[in-house]
């Protein structure tokens, strides 16, 4: 990873970043009030970076504005709100834009393809038009709010063409982009009818960051083979008359913050409740959004194999699988929900006893403050996505453990986190028997081995935490030379 910066380097970056004169402008599909406790890694990192410099956070309000006459006129007004030294600027979307940009292109084209699921993609041409229209709308509404030396940080797949749209309107600011989800190999990317436009759009940024070295390699291969990009140095590519800096910046968590949550009264109460409730059992845990990228059916199959081939786990091993509802208005998610209901029902029917249910499947949101106690009470975490940009649950599980008696992480080799978390038990989630063997190994691992592995994992997630991630990315963006062709755009 380009995480070559060591702890000293990280401190220097943070210090330099605090001294920045530039204002930070963050753009993401959704925003959040930075004064409220943040739920995920992105919100934590963005909140902290914004609070250091003061800044602007721009995105969709989450609201759909229906125009009385059915036209597009319901959208476009920017709502500005101040939250401490951060300004939140949001806009509503029309029904048509929401359905094509968000449900359509973002969630029914880019999400499946970037997670290698061509079979689930729906290449409807109206979606691409809506996606471009909303990125143009974002650019139009953002431009008047910008100051000349603002540093702009754009997040994720919903906003790939935003810099190209801004450049076309004359914006010359430094603009960075971070992709939170995987970058697929060139031939998978090439299945998207608009792939050339999308990848060319990325060259309107000054810096593009990926979660892993594998993602960075896929992007480099794509632009070298499809766009004849020239590699100027390990982190600089030239194509479309632009020089782009690229790097792998694996996102982390705020380890101390998560540990504090584990040690809070609620965290401890939850731990004691779970430990007492399952004192005769061995607890396994999975926490995910209910998404087909997370490999949930394969995980339940692997757990079934565990009970079949290692019968000593019957009447003992219990899997708590929390799967929060997600994108329920996209068809593929409905199928997954039905599949999970049936798989979990079958395993409980086939193996359950009057006083033991092998799987407790919870299809609801669980409050974040309850997670650390649940993680600490669990002997094993199953983080087995079929593809994942990073996966923060893997890191949260490590942070929540008791270092004197830690639980073990079973981690998919296809999660971005696997590049960093080598001391976890890495599995191929498609190989359900192999995964069952790894789970058995985790359940029977000696205390010494668990302690050693956990120590190495904890050190790594501490070194490359969320503060390292944001400060290293922003420092690299600051260091980018103003691009001679910045205003010419690439679209
Ligand atoms: P997500 O796909 O949402 O994020 P992930 O990184 O696992 O995936 O989780 C984000 C946060 O949501 C974590 O803090 C986790 O605790 C929380 N969470 C997940 N499921 C939950 C549940 N059922 N109940 C309560 N909380 C839950 C995208 C990419 C990832 C990447 C992140 C950050 O898909 O690969 O790691 O962005 O870049």
């Amino acid at each position: 990873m380009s995480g070559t910066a060591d702890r000293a380097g990280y401190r220097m970056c943070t210090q330099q970043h605090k001294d920045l004169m530039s204002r930070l402008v963050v753009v993401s599909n959704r925003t959040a009030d930075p004064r409220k406790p943040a739920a995920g890694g992105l919100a934590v990192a963005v909140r902290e970076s914004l609070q250091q410099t003061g800044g602007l956070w721009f995105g969709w309000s989450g609201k759909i504005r229906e125009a009385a006459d059915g036209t597009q006129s319901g959208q476009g007004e920017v709502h500005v709100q101040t939250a401490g030294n951060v300004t939140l600027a949001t806009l509503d979307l029309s029904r048509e834009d929401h359905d094509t940009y968000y449900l359509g292109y973002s969630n029914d084209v880019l999400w499946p393809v970037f997670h290698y699921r061509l079979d689930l993609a729906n290449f409807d041409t109206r979606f691409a038009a809506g996606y471009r229209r909303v990125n143009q709308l974002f650019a139009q509404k953002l431009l008047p709010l910008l100051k000349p030396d603002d540093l702009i940080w754009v997040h994720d797949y919903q906003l790939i063409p935003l810099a190209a749209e801004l450049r076309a309107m004359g914006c010359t600011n430094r603009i960075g982009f971070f992709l939170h989800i995987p970058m697929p190999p060139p031939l998978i990317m090439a299945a998207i009818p608009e792939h050339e436009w999308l990848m060319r759009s990325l060259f309107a940024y000054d810096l593009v960051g990926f979660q892993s070295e594998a993602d960075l390699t896929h992007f480099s291969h794509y632009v070298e083979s499809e766009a004849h990009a020239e590699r100027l140095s390990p982190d600089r590519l030239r194509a479309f008359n632009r020089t782009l800096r690229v790097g792998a910046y694996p996102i982390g968590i705020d380890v101390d913050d998560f540990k504090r949550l584990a040690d809070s009264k609620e965290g401890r109460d939850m731990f004691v409740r779970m430990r007492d409730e399952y004192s005769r059992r061995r607890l396994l845990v999975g926490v995910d959004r209910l998404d087909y990228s997370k490999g949930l059916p394969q995980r339940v199959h692997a757990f079934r194999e565990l009970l079949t081939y290692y019968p000593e786990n019957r009447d003992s091993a219990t899997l708590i699988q929390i799967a929060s509802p997600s994108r329920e208005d996209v068809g593929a998610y409905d199928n997954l929900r039905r599949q999970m209901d049936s798989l979990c029902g079958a395993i409980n029917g086939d193996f359950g006893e009057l006083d033991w249910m092998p799987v407790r499947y919870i299809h609801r949101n669980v409050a974040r403050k309850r997670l650390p106690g649940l993680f600490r009470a669990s002997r094993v975490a199953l983080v087995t996505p079929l593809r994942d940009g990073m996966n923060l649950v893997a890191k949260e599980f490590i942070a929540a453990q008791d270092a004197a008696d830690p639980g073990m992480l079973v981690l998919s080799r296809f999660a971005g986190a696997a590049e960093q978390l080598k001391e976890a038990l890495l599995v191929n989630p498609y190989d359900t028997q192999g995964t069952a063997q790894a789970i058995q190994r985790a359940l029977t691992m000696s205390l010494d081995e668990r302690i050693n592995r956990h120590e190495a994992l904890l050190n790594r997630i501490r070194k490359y935490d969320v503060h390292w991630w944001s400060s290293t990315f922003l420092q690299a963006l600051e260091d980018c030379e103003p691009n001679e062709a910045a205003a010419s755009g690439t679209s």
Side-chain angles (χ1 to χ4, degrees), residues 4 18 21 46 97 105 125 139 194-196 204 225 242 256 260 276 305 307 312 327 335 389 396 408 422 446 462 484:
T4 42
K18 276 185 180 154
M21 293 309 288
V46 166
D97 282 351
Y105 206 71
T125 48
E194 302 78 23
H195 66 101
E196 287 172 10
S225 63
R242 295 262 309 164
D256 293 323
R260 260 195 302 280
D276 293 351
E305 301 266 45
L307 300 179
E312 63 270 33
R327 303 175 193 169
N335 293 341
E396 290 168 351
M408 197 56 218
K422 297 281 185 220
S446 72
R462 253 193 203 296
E484 74 274 14

Side-chain angles (χ1 to χ4, degrees), residues 245-258:
R245 186 167 175 183
V246 289
Y249 299 88
I251 194 169
I253 62 165
D254 186 329
V255 176
D256 293 323
D257 194 57
F258 206 76

Side-chain angles (χ1 to χ4, degrees), residues 8-125:
Y10 152 66
R11 285 211 191 88
M12 209 173 72
C13 288
T14 311
Q15 193 52 47
Q16 283 171 355
H17 179 54
K18 276 185 180 154
D19 295 344
L20 286 182
M21 293 309 288
S22 307
R23 181 177 72 148
L24 178 61
V25 174
V26 171
V27 191
S28 53
N29 178 52
R30 295 293 301 275
T31 63
D33 187 333
R35 293 163 306 180
K36 297 195 177 141
L42 168 63
V44 171
V46 166
R47 177 184 63 174
E48 199 199 67
S49 313
L50 277 170
Q51 280 174 341
Q52 276 180 13
T53 52
L56 174 70
W57 193 353
F58 186 92
W60 171 39
S61 61
K63 294 194 188 112
I64 299 168
R65 185 65 58 89
E66 306 278 3
D69 55 1
T71 65
Q72 297 285 310
S73 61
Q75 69 185 17
E77 193 190 328
V78 178
H79 315 286
V80 179
Q81 196 187 333
T82 309
N85 60 351
V86 176
T87 304
L88 287 175
T90 56
L91 78 170
D92 303 343
L93 291 180
S94 69
R95 166 71 55 193
E96 163 81 5
D97 282 351
H98 169 263
D99 290 357
T100 52
Y101 148 79
Y102 180 69
L103 295 183
Y105 206 71
S106 297
N107 289 340
D108 232 3
V109 176
L110 298 180
W111 180 271
V113 175
F114 280 44
H115 287 87
Y116 300 52
R117 293 298 303 270
L118 293 179
D119 57 317
L120 295 177
N122 177 5
F123 299 113
D124 183 324
T125 48

Side-chain angles (χ1 to χ4, degrees), residues 123-425:
F123 299 113
D124 183 324
T125 48
R126 284 170 308 168
F127 295 169
Y131 181 74
R132 178 152 197 176
R133 197 165 58 237
V134 171
N135 271 273
Q136 270 166 352
L137 179 71
F138 266 46
Q140 268 164 20
K141 299 295 175 180
L142 176 61
L143 196 67
L145 306 177
L146 295 176
K147 297 178 184 164
D149 64 347
D150 280 347
L151 213 51
I152 306 172
W153 190 3
V154 179
H155 290 266
D156 231 0
Y157 61 103
Q158 300 92 348
L159 299 173
I160 291 172
L162 185 65
E165 299 297 349
L166 283 167
R167 299 286 185 222
M169 294 172 194
C171 175
T172 55
N173 296 55
R174 268 161 303 180
I175 316 180
F177 177 80
F178 186 79
L179 184 69
H180 289 259
I181 64 174
M183 169 60 62
L187 286 181
I188 292 189
M189 176 63 74
I192 301 178
E194 302 78 23
H195 66 101
E196 287 172 10
W197 168 67
L198 284 170
M199 294 296 101
R200 189 172 67 237
S201 298
L202 283 175
F203 277 77
Y205 290 95
D206 296 288
L207 169 67
V208 171
F210 299 94
Q211 295 275 26
S212 69
E213 288 294 342
D215 297 327
L216 174 56
T217 304
H218 290 157
F219 178 68
S220 305
H221 284 170
Y222 177 92
V223 292
E224 280 165 351
S225 63
E226 300 273 333
H228 308 294
E230 190 188 345
R231 187 181 277 278
L232 302 180
S233 67
D235 64 351
R236 281 187 171 74
L237 293 163
R238 184 147 184 97
F240 311 111
N241 203 25
R242 295 262 309 164
T243 299
L244 176 65
R245 186 167 175 183
V246 289
Y249 299 88
I251 194 169
I253 62 165
D254 186 329
V255 176
D256 293 323
D257 194 57
F258 206 76
K259 275 188 165 304
R260 260 195 302 280
L261 213 57
D263 292 334
S264 68
K265 182 172 176 329
E266 255 171 318
R268 277 183 288 120
D269 287 353
M270 180 71 181
F271 167 68
V272 169
R273 256 214 336 270
M274 297 309 289
R275 189 196 54 194
D276 293 351
E277 172 81 19
Y278 291 96
S279 56
R280 287 182 41 241
R281 318 272 184 224
R282 281 185 305 172
L283 209 55
L284 297 95
V285 68
V287 174
D288 308 79
R289 281 185 303 102
L290 185 65
D291 191 288
Y292 50 78
S293 65
K294 303 291 182 184
L296 296 169
Q298 288 81 356
R299 188 181 302 172
V300 177
H301 278 300
F303 185 63
R304 193 182 172 100
E305 301 266 45
L306 177 84
L307 300 179
T308 306
Y309 293 103
Y310 303 97
E312 63 270 33
N313 291 304
R314 293 186 200 167
D315 203 22
S316 166
T318 304
L319 170 63
I320 297 190
Q321 177 61 57
I322 299 169
S324 52
S326 178
R327 303 175 193 169
E328 294 192 306
D329 26 16
V330 178
Y333 291 77
D334 212 35
N335 293 341
L336 177 62
R337 184 185 173 168
R338 277 199 299 270
Q339 200 182 355
M340 282 298 284
D341 286 349
S342 132
L343 284 171
C344 295
I347 203 169
N348 283 339
D350 293 343
F351 291 90
E353 301 285 348
L354 282 175
D355 60 349
W356 172 65
M357 279 295 156
V359 181
R360 296 190 66 174
Y361 170 55
I362 300 161
H363 180 235
R364 272 199 314 276
N365 267 317
V366 168
R368 184 167 175 74
K369 59 188 177 214
R370 304 182 70 183
L371 294 180
L374 172 62
F375 288 158
R376 191 179 272 226
S378 301
R379 174 54 64 222
V380 175
L382 301 182
V383 179
T384 54
L386 305 179
R387 287 286 158 194
D388 218 330
M390 176 54 59
N391 197 298
L392 296 177
V393 172
K395 297 185 173 183
E396 290 168 351
F397 177 77
I398 295 163
Q401 295 309 301
D402 172 2
D405 185 15
M408 197 56 218
L409 174 64
V410 172
L411 177 64
S412 164
R413 56 174 297 186
F414 304 128
E419 266 186 19
Q420 292 181 301
L421 306 180
K422 297 281 185 220
E423 293 79 6
L425 293 182

